[in-house]
Amino acid sequence: MSRAPLPYSSRILELFKNPKNAGKMTDATVSAEAGSPVCGDIITIYLKVGEDMVISRASFESYGCAANIATASMLTEMVKGKKVEEAWNIGWKEVADEVGGLPAVKFHCGILAVGALRRAVREYFSARTPKPAWLPEQDTFEEKQALDEENLARELSKRLNASKDQQDSR
Amino acid sequence: MKAADAVRRFLGASSPEEVCFTTGEVEANNLAILGAVGEFTRLSTQGFCGRPARQGGKIVISAVEPVSVMFPAEMLEKKGLKVVKVPVDGEGFLDTDGLSEAVDEETRLVSVGLVNNEVGAIQPLREVVELVKDRNHDAIVHTDASDAYGRIRFDVKELGVDLATLSSYKILGPRGVGVLYVKEGTKIERVIEGPIGTQALWPGVENTPLIVGFKKASELAFTDFDSNVEHMRRLRDHLIDGLLSMEDAILNGPRGKGRAPDNANVSFLRCEGESLTIELSLKGVYVSSGSACTRKMLQPSHVLIALGREHEAAHGSILMKVSRYHSDEDVKYVVEAFGPALERLRAIGPTARG
């Protein structure tokens, strides 16, 4: 029996206990991170992409809550065997559905996982020309949200350091 | 009334009329904060405690008060009251010089918890009361004593406080009942309206079974008090020592006599607290965390931040309380459960790449 502070689905708890594809991939084609230790939320996604642009393997590392671990694990399962373009098109809501739904305060975990994946895909194409037509120039919703969270984290630690300095100078 | 009289004796209050039963700590704290500045919470500008309403004023609280003190104070701030949060040091002890600076003629209320609920620091409350009354005799001093009652000895008259909050569930009594001690003559108004029954500050019909349960829990807590406290203190130190032997573990709060006998709070770096609480619960170890992820606010514990902890340390914090019913074996079991839990979660963390 487990006692979680939030009404997590049994699927989330199962993935938390036995995550799939956890750990760094040493021979990854590409990797990307989203989140910040200040927010208590980091997801790194590793992808092994073949010449045919098919993702043969995916793995993740996570510093975060059960929802963070579960969504990252689920996303790596979802992208395996998919073409990079198909992986790009996975939205956070699909990930949330696959884990049996997320509590409202944990939506951002799914968003962060997808944000990290899309950053990895952009990174993959950064060294390749021409860029595929389906890859938008502008950041997508998930990427923007990840960036917002990181900026918020920076703001929080700036504020914290400022108040510390103030205290020290008293 | 028998229950009020029993609780009065444990508190050191003069009469049972000074004991007001509420639905718990949160309501008692709200009554203390909002009731002490009654005219701010009323719709009209009618008088307050028989005097004309005053405009303005200041509330002084410590930076580590529980949210049931902090949020009502912040609500009043939006209504135009000044609110000052006095900082604490790295162990959670109040900066008494800062308090002196903050309290002035317009200060209406000062609230400093006797024992901090997260890091267990025992505040120098007598000194606080003296400092406050010296600067402003009319200022009301409130203390949330929920984490002190039944675990450290105190007497409200000796402390000199005007208001004190107690909680039943924190001494293993039933949930849903607490107390606000109100020293006779303290200018405070009720904040909930309704038919006045037996309690002047709390309308309605009291929940007798819960109140009797609280009385019983109090009696048990004060039976063999000294040996129980010694037992808790010993277990607490074993627990803290065991947890600090883990890699990258930091104690939050003071060591020794300055810490509540039941409180252990340790931060584990490179491990997020919510995950850790769930992982431990799989082994029957039920603890809480100051991580943002355990809260709806998605902000880490303001108490740990006030102690100067980095966000990451706050996210990895675990709070535990021992009771007289715990044993050496329990502590051993808990400490042993942490090792593999930390190992598993840290192994999947990106911060492990360092």
Side-chain angles (χ1 to χ4, degrees), chain A residues 3 8 16 38 62 64 106, chain B residues 274-275 281 293 315 344 348:
Chain A
R3 194 193 63 173
Y8 283 135
F16 168 74
V38 177
S62 152
K106 298 294 184 183
Chain B
E274 192 215 82
S275 285
S281 77
C293 293
H315 291 309
R344 180 176 94 81
I348 54 177

Side-chain angles (χ1 to χ4, degrees), chain B residues 208-220:
Chain B
T208 312
L210 293 187
I211 289 172
V212 172
F214 180 34
K215 168 179 171 269
K216 182 69 186 172
S218 299
E219 286 166 358
L220 291 171

Side-chain angles (χ1 to χ4, degrees), chain B residues 21-25 166-169 174-179 210-211 214:
Chain B
F21 289 103
T22 68
T23 62
E25 177 188 0
L166 307 182
S167 154
S168 164
Y169 93 92
R175 290 169 169 218
V177 59
V179 157
L210 293 187
I211 289 172
F214 180 34

Side-chain angles (χ1 to χ4, degrees), chain B residues 17-307:
Chain B
E17 280 78 24
E18 292 181 325
V19 174
C20 174
F21 289 103
T22 68
T23 62
E25 177 188 0
V26 170
E27 197 184 79
N29 282 342
N30 272 265
L31 173 56
I33 308 297
L34 303 177
V37 289
E39 66 269 42
F40 274 85
T41 55
R42 289 170 180 276
L43 293 173
S44 71
T45 50
Q46 60 186 264
F48 171 67
C49 286
R51 312 179 298 214
R54 282 195 285 164
Q55 288 304 309
K58 189 199 261 186
I59 291 181
V60 178
I61 66 173
S62 86
V64 293
E65 288 311 299
V67 290
S68 56
V69 166
M70 197 169 75
F71 285 178
E74 287 174 352
M75 187 193 94
L76 290 166
E77 195 172 21
K78 291 194 191 102
K79 289 185 177 239
L81 265 174
K82 277 182 213 153
V83 173
V84 176
K85 293 176 188 166
V86 179
V88 295
D89 68 15
E91 294 186 321
F93 294 116
L94 188 74
D95 169 6
T96 46
D97 292 339
L99 179 75
S100 286
E101 261 171 59
V103 177
D104 57 16
E105 278 303 302
E106 61 168 356
T107 301
R108 309 276 297 273
L109 174 79
V110 176
S111 182
V112 175
L114 180 49
V115 166
N116 181 263
N117 64 326
E118 288 189 37
V119 297
I122 302 172
Q123 304 294 358
L125 215 67
R126 256 181 87 161
E127 192 189 336
V128 165
V129 175
E130 275 168 23
L131 272 172
V132 172
K133 299 284 178 179
D134 195 44
R135 296 185 69 85
N136 180 348
H137 192 74
D138 293 330
I140 294 172
V141 182
H142 166 252
T143 186
D144 182 346
S146 303
D147 282 80
Y149 185 65
R151 283 145 293 170
I152 66 167
R153 280 204 191 281
F154 70 92
D155 178 303
V156 284
K157 279 212 291 282
E158 222 170 84
L159 292 175
V161 293
D162 303 298
L163 305 169
T165 295
L166 307 182
S167 154
S168 164
Y169 93 92
K170 284 191 171 173
I171 55 162
L172 313 176
R175 290 169 169 218
V177 59
V179 157
L180 184 68
Y181 156 77
V182 182
K183 188 166 87 185
E184 203 197 332
T186 305
K187 300 239 183 304
I188 172 172
E189 286 194 347
R190 57 181 185 277
V191 295
I192 306 172
E193 293 297 342
I196 291 302
T198 48
Q199 306 197 116
L201 286 171
W202 195 90
V205 183
E206 310 95 317
N207 193 327
T208 312
L210 293 187
I211 289 172
V212 172
F214 180 34
K215 168 179 171 269
K216 182 69 186 172
S218 299
E219 286 166 358
L220 291 171
F222 285 95
T223 304
D224 299 327
F225 183 83
D226 292 324
S227 62
N228 282 334
V229 166
E230 200 37 52
H231 175 73
M232 284 189 250
R233 199 171 273 143
R234 200 171 49 79
L235 294 186
R236 171 201 70 185
D237 289 340
H238 284 177
L239 185 58
I240 289 176
D241 290 341
L243 296 178
L244 291 183
S245 72
M246 315 268 156
E247 209 178 311
D248 286 341
I250 312 167
L251 178 67
N252 296 314
R255 268 209 175 261
K257 291 265 181 218
R259 185 180 198 109
D262 59 339
N263 176 297
N265 188 328
V266 174
S267 283
F268 299 94
L269 303 180
R270 298 184 289 111
C271 190
E272 193 279 315
E274 192 215 82
S275 285
L276 191 51
T277 63
I278 300 175
E279 183 74 359
L280 291 166
S281 77
L282 298 170
K283 291 172 187 153
V285 176
Y286 302 113
V287 297
S288 68
S289 170
S291 165
C293 293
T294 61
R295 294 146 184 250
K296 293 230 161 105
M297 304 179 281
L298 297 180
Q299 291 271 327
S301 154
H302 69 282
V303 174
L304 296 178
I305 297 299
L307 261 66

